[in-house]
Amino acid sequence: MLKKLFLLLPLIFGGCATIHQTIYLQNVEVNGPINNPPVFISDGSTGIKISPWLSFHTNKQLTGQVNHSMVNSNGVFQVDTTYNNGSVAYRESNANNYKYNHDNIIWNLPNVKAGVDIDLPVSKAVSFFGSLNYSSQNFYQIMGGSFGIGFNSVTRGNAVRFNFGCSLQQYQYDASTVVIQTVDPVFGKEYTEVGFFHDIDKKSNLNFFGNLTYNTVSTDMSINFWFSFAFFSETLLDLTPETPNQAYYPFDFNVTTTDTRGETSTTFVSFSPGIYINVTPSLRLVVGINILKDIGNFSSDNGSFTSSLFVMPLAKIDFLF
């Protein structure tokens, strides 16, 4: 009986602890494209449309700041080391030493991305659509896509279409983070640990978008016109805390997390004008320019107002079945 009691002591003394984690992002470099919503020309037909395309990034790099990131004037998260009875402990530096305006994100954009859009009408007014894209950046192969539903109306030589959907875009990231972990054991004094992490990986993030497209529909004109308005977001990074070390708390623990980074994302609005040419009854050429305005967390190297405008030429071929 006494032996069994001794075996239960580790469970009693180490089994219930409260662990509070706070994550701070020091810096991150992300590789991946801007995933624009797809644009579809409406003409009243109910056939399937398959559209390979190319899009070009004129901006090569964006910089930004994670919300509520805490770094010192040199852009480094700083911790102080203290000694207590021979043991080493860590504590966060005084918050007054921090600056909140450090750009700690670099977003590298590929020169070009390629893809294909597929439109599957179920009636003259409703379509389901999907899109895939591919790009290469710093030797990383990156995939993405989108899917959703579109509603269109064609009357008297004019067409309007509204798309709503989700995008799933892959990003490669190199992120350095600091995790402050405060442990409050059932027995004993509360103590704090600091961990430094360096993660290199790929992750796909889900976002939502909506766009409204207008185009002319005229068989008498060799060139027709279109333009589109869009609103969409891009999530670049969404790290989660590391699992507590079960070698110290193998039976039970409670974890509360305060992620001061928030989600690393930004938002765009865009206006896209262009033209299309009906080459044959089953083939048309579509060209245009995507003009994007970043209304989120990113700016350019020089920080000027016009730097948050992006011009992205687009060329696609519609195969009509």
Side-chain angles (χ1 to χ4, degrees), residues 9 35 40 71 109 155 183 194 211 222 240 242 267 274-275 295:
L9 286 179
N35 193 353
F40 295 97
V71 294
L109 301 173
T155 56
V183 181
V194 175
N211 66 330
S222 58
T240 56
E242 294 292 328
T267 304
I275 62 172
I295 58 174

Side-chain angles (χ1 to χ4, degrees), residues 12 28 56 64 99 110 168 179-180 183 192 195 203 234 257 278 294:
I12 296 173
V28 60
F56 304 88
K99 293 175 63 177
L168 187 64
V179 177
I180 308 295
V183 181
T192 299
K203 187 175 182 180
E234 297 278 355
T257 301
N278 293 310
D294 170 37

Side-chain angles (χ1 to χ4, degrees), residues 290-310:
N290 293 315
I291 304 172
L292 287 71
K293 174 71 169 70
D294 170 37
I295 58 174
N297 300 327
F298 291 89
S299 61
S300 76
D301 295 335
N302 57 23
S304 64
F305 174 77
T306 56
S307 66
S308 58
L309 290 175
F310 309 96

Side-chain angles (χ1 to χ4, degrees), residues 31-298:
N31 295 298
I34 298 175
N35 193 353
N36 310 67
V39 173
F40 295 97
I41 301 299
S42 301
D43 56 10
S45 65
T46 57
I48 297 173
K49 303 177 185 68
I50 299 178
S51 308
W53 52 264
L54 292 174
S55 180
F56 304 88
H57 289 88
T58 56
N59 297 64
K60 301 300 185 286
Q61 188 179 86
L62 302 177
T63 60
Q65 177 189 354
V66 172
N67 293 337
H68 309 302
S69 61
M70 298 176 66
V71 294
N72 64 14
S73 58
N74 296 319
V76 178
F77 185 92
Q78 182 177 324
V79 292
D80 295 334
T81 304
T82 59
Y83 295 88
N84 183 15
N85 297 327
S87 62
V88 180
Y90 297 91
R91 63 183 176 86
E92 300 176 48
S93 295
N94 191 319
N96 293 329
N97 295 330
Y98 293 117
K99 293 175 63 177
Y100 292 86
N101 59 356
H102 174 68
D103 288 340
N104 54 355
I105 304 176
I106 297 175
W107 183 4
N108 298 314
L109 301 173
N111 294 325
V112 61
K113 64 177 179 177
V116 59
D117 300 334
I118 301 176
D119 193 40
L120 303 172
V122 295
S123 70
K124 288 188 175 181
V126 180
S127 297
F128 292 101
F129 65 86
S131 180
L132 294 174
N133 71 68
Y134 167 84
S135 61
S136 178
Q137 177 68 27
N138 293 337
F139 304 105
Y140 292 101
Q141 313 303 310
I142 299 171
M143 301 292 296
S146 62
F147 58 92
I149 186 171
F151 304 92
N152 65 84
S153 174
V154 181
T155 56
R156 297 182 180 180
N158 300 289
V160 177
R161 172 163 172 157
F162 173 73
N163 289 336
F164 174 78
C166 303
S167 65
L168 187 64
Q169 181 61 53
Q170 188 179 60
Y171 296 96
Q172 188 278 333
Y173 62 86
D174 184 334
S176 297
T177 55
V178 173
V179 177
I180 308 295
Q181 180 170 273
T182 301
V183 181
D184 187 9
V186 176
F187 300 97
K189 294 183 179 180
E190 178 181 282
Y191 62 94
T192 299
E193 297 177 336
V194 175
F196 296 86
F197 298 89
H198 184 195
D199 299 306
I200 302 175
D201 203 354
K202 284 184 181 180
K203 187 175 182 180
S204 296
N205 299 316
L206 184 69
N207 292 283
F208 297 93
F209 66 84
N211 66 330
L212 180 67
T213 302
Y214 165 83
N215 64 267
T216 60
V217 184
S218 175
T219 57
D220 298 329
M221 299 173 57
S222 58
I223 297 177
N224 281 269
F225 301 90
W226 63 270
F227 61 84
S228 180
F229 295 95
F231 178 88
F232 63 101
S233 59
E234 297 278 355
T235 299
L236 303 181
L237 190 69
D238 190 12
L239 293 178
T240 56
E242 294 292 328
T243 302
N245 191 340
Q246 296 189 15
Y248 296 96
Y249 301 98
F251 302 105
D252 186 24
F253 47 77
N254 298 315
V255 179
T256 60
T257 301
T258 302
D259 186 351
T260 60
R261 296 175 294 105
E263 187 179 75
T264 305
S265 62
T266 193
T267 304
F268 293 96
V269 293
S270 70
F271 169 67
S272 305
I275 62 172
Y276 73 92
I277 302 173
N278 293 310
V279 181
T280 70
S282 59
L283 176 67
R284 66 176 166 234
L285 175 64
V286 182
V287 294
I289 299 176
N290 293 315
I291 304 172
L292 287 71
K293 174 71 169 70
D294 170 37
I295 58 174
N297 300 327
F298 291 89

